[in-house]
Amino acid sequence: MHFRTRAIHVGNDPCPETGAVVRPIHVASTFMQLEAGKWRDFDYSRSGNPTRSSFQETVANLEGGAGGLAFASGMAATHCVTSMLNAGDHILAGSDIYGGTYRLLHHITSRAGIETTLADSTHLDAFAEAIRPNTKLVWIESPGNPRMTITEIAACAEMAHKAGALLGVDSTFATPVLTRPVELGADIVMHSATKYIGGHSDLMGGVLVAASKELYDQLYFVANATGAIMGPFEAFLCARGLKTLELRVREQCRTALQLAEWLVDHPKVACVRYPGLATHPGHAIAARQMEGGFGAMMSFDVDGSFEDAKRVVESTKLFHLAVSLGAVESLIEQPASMSHASYDAADRAKHGITDGMIRLSVGLEAFEDLRDDLAQALAD
Ligand SMILES: *Cc1c(COP(=O)(O)O)cnc(C)c1O
């Protein structure tokens, strides 16, 4: 079956008792057993909950993995992965990773005696050189944030496996509609479900999909032991979000490409970073590993100062001035003062985050309205 059919039908059988075509939200924390010591499918909602299970089954199927686990947030999902490691292990991560992941690896995971090195995952030779004998996890993001860098997942999987490490991919920007890392050799896929999976800026959630049953079991052990699981209401919203994910993402990609092409020609725009543009350094790889679209995230630099960019992000009327991404409403932000403000100036420079940079999350509004909104903001 096709992706969009599975998104609607897998894990979503009608309720066997009532025939309701939408399953009820199971809020029970505990489940009555028939005999002492003989367990039914569910016993306690941290360990397993029918609403969460249903969402996990759908998302694992869409990613082509052996099993899925849903968490309270994307960071809780990533933390579950790092919690599988032991003191003395090493993590190699791409330099364009999400700021919260950077903080987790450098300030929390490090406390357990696990060291992290960052290296440029877009240059595979340099990235491979940063592998150590004790590297147990390689962690990448593609497209990366906020420069929209593209990392070749299949090559990273080969590199990690040769070194005896697992490859984890934060695929939040790509969504399973555009990229399925497990098919490219990744061991673990992570999503901030807060973004495209939820898709409406109304929930926090995270997901892991494991490529094998063994890895799923190891992750499940950590998830159950540490308890940062997704609640049933969020699981219901995420399962609902998946049903329209393909339609939303395809349309958002289409509008994003139109906006990127329009911005390229704008006299006040110095450069546009969007993997769908032939001028983007990662375009050829993106065209291979992203199917039917290049995502709906982009960044561009205004030809001007920090203050000029600040004025633009504060002048849009449809694009809301906010961090986060992936929802039906378009968002605009200035990385230097918002999403990446915690980096010091030297770190921002090292990561290519310029003062004039503006990041867009393109939503589902009409292209013409979004274009006109950016035009008036840039004209001020
Ligand atoms: C938002 C985000 C996260 C963190 O997810 P939360 O749900 O906010 O915890 C991780 N990676 C990427 C790429 C994100 O955009």
Side-chain angles (χ1 to χ4, degrees):
M1 279 193 290
H2 288 84
F3 185 98
R4 66 168 74 171
T5 312
R6 288 184 279 125
I8 292 166
H9 289 280
V10 173
N12 287 315
D13 288 341
C15 172
E17 275 157 41
T18 62
V21 298
V22 176
R23 295 261 197 98
I25 303 174
H26 287 278
V27 296
S29 56
T30 191
F31 299 81
M32 198 174 76
Q33 306 302 311
L34 302 172
E35 261 180 60
K38 208 171 148 204
W39 302 103
R40 293 165 84 160
D41 288 350
F42 297 97
D43 51 74
Y44 185 61
S45 270
R46 169 161 39 73
S47 310
N49 168 283
T51 312
R52 194 165 82 238
S53 280
S54 159
F55 165 56
Q56 291 173 163
E57 186 186 338
T58 318
V59 78
N61 178 282
L62 296 180
E63 284 287 357
L69 292 163
F71 296 85
S73 69
M75 289 323 303
T78 305
H79 188 224
C80 178
V81 178
T82 62
S83 300
M84 291 202 306
L85 303 185
N86 295 302
D89 289 349
H90 171 251
I91 299 172
L92 170 61
S95 40
D96 255 11
I97 51 168
Y98 177 70
T101 309
Y102 178 95
R103 182 171 50 199
L104 175 77
L105 297 175
H106 287 87
H107 299 292
I108 305 293
T109 307
S110 56
R111 293 181 190 175
I114 298 158
E115 206 188 331
T116 297
T117 348
L118 300 186
D120 182 357
S121 56
T122 66
H123 289 99
L124 282 170
D125 291 345
F127 200 47
E129 264 172 38
I131 287 249
R132 297 183 190 169
N134 59 338
T135 304
K136 291 288 154 61
L137 175 68
V138 176
W139 190 260
I140 56 169
E141 249 172 69
S142 186
N145 183 16
R147 293 186 304 138
M148 307 301 133
T149 49
I150 298 294
T151 294
E152 191 170 6
I153 297 168
C156 286
E158 201 176 308
M159 182 196 91
H161 296 159
K162 214 155 72 189
L166 296 172
L167 177 68
V169 179
D170 178 341
S171 203
T172 301
F173 276 33
T175 82
V177 175
L178 305 175
T179 305
R180 285 167 303 280
V182 169
E183 292 173 1
L184 301 168
D187 302 285
I188 300 168
V189 183
M190 177 274 181
H191 288 283
S192 167
T194 312
K195 316 296 167 53
Y196 289 98
I197 291 178
H200 295 74
S201 302
D202 56 6
L203 67 92
M204 295 295 300
V207 180
L208 295 177
V209 173
S212 69
K213 174 74 168 65
E214 295 88 295
L215 199 49
Y216 167 82
D217 289 343
Q218 289 171 31
L219 290 165
Y220 173 80
F221 182 82
V222 177
N224 186 42
T226 54
I229 47 104
M230 179 181 278
F233 291 102
E234 285 77 11
F236 165 76
L237 285 172
C238 284
R240 188 164 77 158
L242 285 180
K243 294 176 186 178
T244 56
L245 183 68
E246 177 169 349
L247 294 184
R248 284 187 282 113
V249 169
R250 295 238 177 270
E251 189 61 19
Q252 284 170 261
C253 289
R254 212 168 64 86
T255 309
L257 179 61
Q258 286 177 294
L259 279 177
E261 286 171 343
W262 177 80
L263 281 167
V264 164
D265 291 331
H266 196 287
K268 288 204 180 155
V269 172
C271 73
V272 182
R273 298 173 204 81
Y274 182 67
L277 297 174
T279 50
H280 187 283
H283 178 70
I285 297 169
R288 280 204 301 279
Q289 79 183 17
M290 301 180 87
E291 191 182 290
F294 295 90
M297 294 299 297
M298 75 183 74
S299 60
F300 65 95
D301 277 16
V302 292
D303 196 4
S305 63
F306 176 90
E307 287 304 325
D308 292 326
K310 186 165 181 288
R311 223 170 8 251
V312 173
V313 302
E314 289 169 353
S315 308
T316 53
K317 298 191 166 67
L318 285 175
F319 281 90
H320 294 315
L321 178 60
V323 294
S324 196
L325 58 113
V328 294
E329 62 279 335
S330 294
L331 302 177
I332 192 165
E333 66 114 0
Q334 182 182 30
S337 61
M338 296 174 71
S339 60
H340 294 71
S342 62
Y343 289 41
D344 59 34
D347 247 11
R348 276 204 293 277
K350 203 172 92 194
H351 287 91
I353 298 160
T354 52
D355 284 349
M357 184 187 279
I358 290 173
R359 191 185 78 174
L360 300 180
S361 169
V362 178
L364 273 179
E365 302 92 337
F367 159 69
E368 293 78 5
D369 295 328
L370 295 176
R371 176 200 60 199
D372 294 350
D373 192 28
L374 287 176
Q376 65 80 23
L378 284 162
D380 283 347

